[in-house]
Amino acid sequence: MVNLDWKNLPFGYEKTNYNVRCYYKNGSWGKLEISSSDHINIHMAATSLHYGQEAFEGLKAYRGKDGKVRLFRWEENAKRMQSSARGILMAEVPTELFHKAILKVVELNQEFIPPYGTGAALYLRPLLIGTGPQVGVKPSNEYLFMVFTSPVGPYFKEGFKPVDMLLCRSFDRAAPLGTGHIKVGGNYAASLASLKKGHDLGYASVIYLDAKEKQYIDECGPANFFGIKGDTYVTPKSHSILPSITNMSLIELVKDLGFKAERRPVHIDELKAFDEVGACGTAAIISPIRSITDESNDIRYEYCKDGKPGPVSTKIYERLLAIQFGEEPDVHGWVEVLDF
Ligand code: PLP
Ligand code: COI
């Protein structure tokens, strides 16, 4: 195993040994290739560079208590990448190719999979880009699918500690009938200025509202929003948020605890009624929220009054990690144990 400060890894790029690549040309995918370079060579008129024809995914490989390496719900990432590809007219990566690529890249970078007990994991970043030249606004005829890896710690440097969020009024992330529901680069470009504003004001991230009425909670930085009210887990339903695999899993975990789960529009007036709120995603895992400050009027909604994450968030966070790190039985069939 390489020598890294595993317990203090940031969520960032750390060069590993290899990445894998596959090219789509003349209507079909080629052979999976292995590369040790972290550069790619593409045409200057590639559609990914001009017209944002690019989609990505994020998932993790976890080194378990038993020393085995696990992947979590990777089929959902494969499906979502296919949905992103359809959304912006790119060639779809077949599920078998996606699977083969992630297995290979994890196997090749085993020495970068963080040790059990450090809280860190090996992040996998599948990427699909239009590489063919076009000057008119048209989809490319050629694509590159690649997967690189990086050992990472939690996305929010606080880890599982309550963070402060800004309710963003001055920017929208995604249009009501736009691309918010797929994982394409344009959504992230659209979020950069608002995230900088939030960070500059001292917030961990920003919460976006629906772009039409500005009344309903949409996305929570690079994560989904959830709230707990009594015995109910509530998470927004909207065409402009990414269907988070973590959120999907938390819904099952709260149901296991006997809670109800509701996916429906969440009005901002409801913020005052939640017992706990949080952000969830592969990178963020669960980030409990301590406060939400409305940018338009400075109204501040406060949670975690004792400074600690709430009891329900804590339970589902622990349960999710226990499944991912193989400490508890995988009763939902979410985990693939790797064999190498
Ligand atoms: N929302 C956005 C905008 C994201 O970038 C992500 C990260 O992938 C999520 C939500 C969480 O999704 P998941 O739980 O599938 O990682
Ligand atoms: C993830 O949670 O995997 C993400 O992709 C978030 C990210 C944009 C850093």
Side-chain angles (χ1 to χ4, degrees), residues 28-74:
S28 63
W29 288 100
K31 277 218 170 86
L32 193 67
E33 298 172 16
I34 297 170
S35 171
S36 58
S37 164
D38 47 9
H39 287 75
I40 54 175
N41 190 4
I42 59 171
H43 197 288
M44 63 185 174
T47 59
S48 51
L49 301 178
H50 297 259
Y51 304 129
Q53 247 203 331
E54 88 85 51
F56 69 99
E57 273 303 322
L59 67 162
K60 287 172 174 170
Y62 306 82
R63 194 184 293 282
K65 199 172 185 177
D66 53 7
K68 296 198 175 124
V69 178
R70 287 169 170 78
L71 290 174
F72 185 73
R73 305 193 78 173
W74 64 266

Side-chain angles (χ1 to χ4, degrees), residues 195-208:
L195 289 177
K196 177 172 184 327
K197 181 169 189 181
H199 291 155
D200 288 351
L201 292 170
Y203 296 95
S205 195
V206 305
I207 295 180
Y208 301 99

Side-chain angles (χ1 to χ4, degrees), residues 1-309:
M1 196 169 294
V2 293
N3 191 15
L4 291 173
D5 185 5
W6 301 109
K7 283 201 166 136
N8 295 306
L9 285 179
F11 186 88
Y13 182 73
E14 174 80 40
K15 184 170 167 41
T16 58
N17 289 338
Y18 301 101
N19 53 79
V20 295
R21 303 164 180 211
C22 190
Y23 294 88
Y24 179 92
K25 277 194 189 113
N26 302 322
S28 63
W29 288 100
K31 277 218 170 86
L32 193 67
E33 298 172 16
I34 297 170
S35 171
S36 58
S37 164
D38 47 9
H39 287 75
I40 54 175
N41 190 4
I42 59 171
H43 197 288
M44 63 185 174
T47 59
S48 51
L49 301 178
H50 297 259
Y51 304 129
Q53 247 203 331
E54 88 85 51
F56 69 99
E57 273 303 322
L59 67 162
K60 287 172 174 170
Y62 306 82
R63 194 184 293 282
K65 199 172 185 177
D66 53 7
K68 296 198 175 124
V69 178
R70 287 169 170 78
L71 290 174
F72 185 73
R73 305 193 78 173
W74 64 266
E75 298 93 332
E76 296 295 336
N77 295 94
K79 269 199 252 166
R80 193 168 63 190
M81 184 165 246
Q82 290 157 2
S83 153
S84 299
R86 285 193 298 275
I88 56 169
L89 305 189
M90 298 196 288
E92 289 181 40
V93 176
T95 304
E96 313 78 69
L97 172 58
F98 188 95
H99 190 211
K100 197 169 163 194
I102 58 176
L103 290 183
K104 188 47 108 189
V105 82
V106 173
E107 182 178 1
L108 291 168
N109 293 299
Q110 282 176 61
E111 55 185 327
F112 290 90
I113 308 172
Y116 173 73
T118 57
L122 186 70
Y123 187 68
L124 315 188
R125 175 54 68 85
L127 177 70
L128 174 64
I129 62 173
T131 48
Q134 295 285 10
V135 179
V137 181
K138 280 189 256 177
S140 170
N141 294 322
E142 296 180 0
Y143 294 88
L144 165 60
F145 166 58
M146 55 185 301
V147 188
F148 69 76
T149 61
S150 183
V152 296
Y155 189 78
F156 294 111
K157 64 180 184 334
E158 293 83 354
F160 190 61
K161 300 232 182 67
V163 296
D164 299 309
M165 298 279 187
L166 182 67
L167 191 67
C168 177
R169 297 281 189 172
S170 46
F171 295 90
D172 293 317
R173 187 189 85 100
L177 298 177
T179 55
H181 63 298
I182 54 178
K183 203 162 167 65
V184 297
N187 297 334
Y188 297 83
S191 74
L192 291 173
S194 53
L195 289 177
K196 177 172 184 327
K197 181 169 189 181
H199 291 155
D200 288 351
L201 292 170
Y203 296 95
S205 195
V206 305
I207 295 180
Y208 301 99
L209 294 175
D210 77 282
K212 194 170 172 193
E213 296 181 55
K214 306 292 271 179
Q215 292 292 319
Y216 296 92
I217 307 281
D218 233 47
E219 198 69 287
C220 197
N224 276 184
F225 175 90
F226 70 86
I228 311 282
K229 199 192 304 181
D231 64 354
T232 307
Y233 176 99
V234 184
T235 193
K237 182 178 163 81
S238 152
H239 181 70
S240 50
I241 64 178
L242 192 74
S244 154
I245 297 157
T246 313
N247 196 3
M248 220 185 271
S249 311
L250 295 181
I251 287 175
E252 296 308 314
L253 296 181
V254 290
K255 286 192 195 155
D256 292 348
L257 293 174
F259 279 69
K260 287 182 267 197
E262 293 177 359
R263 202 189 270 282
R264 57 167 172 78
V266 178
H267 196 278
I268 38 176
D269 282 350
E270 229 180 313
L271 285 177
K272 50 183 178 296
F274 287 122
D275 305 320
E276 300 176 33
V277 295
C280 64
T282 300
I285 316 177
I286 287 182
S287 207
I289 297 175
R290 176 172 58 196
S291 74
I292 300 173
T293 303
D294 190 327
E295 192 185 351
S296 66
N297 53 18
D298 282 340
I299 289 180
R300 202 174 149 90
Y301 305 90
E302 296 195 4
Y303 312 90
C304 311
K305 298 244 168 78
D306 59 358
K308 294 203 215 94

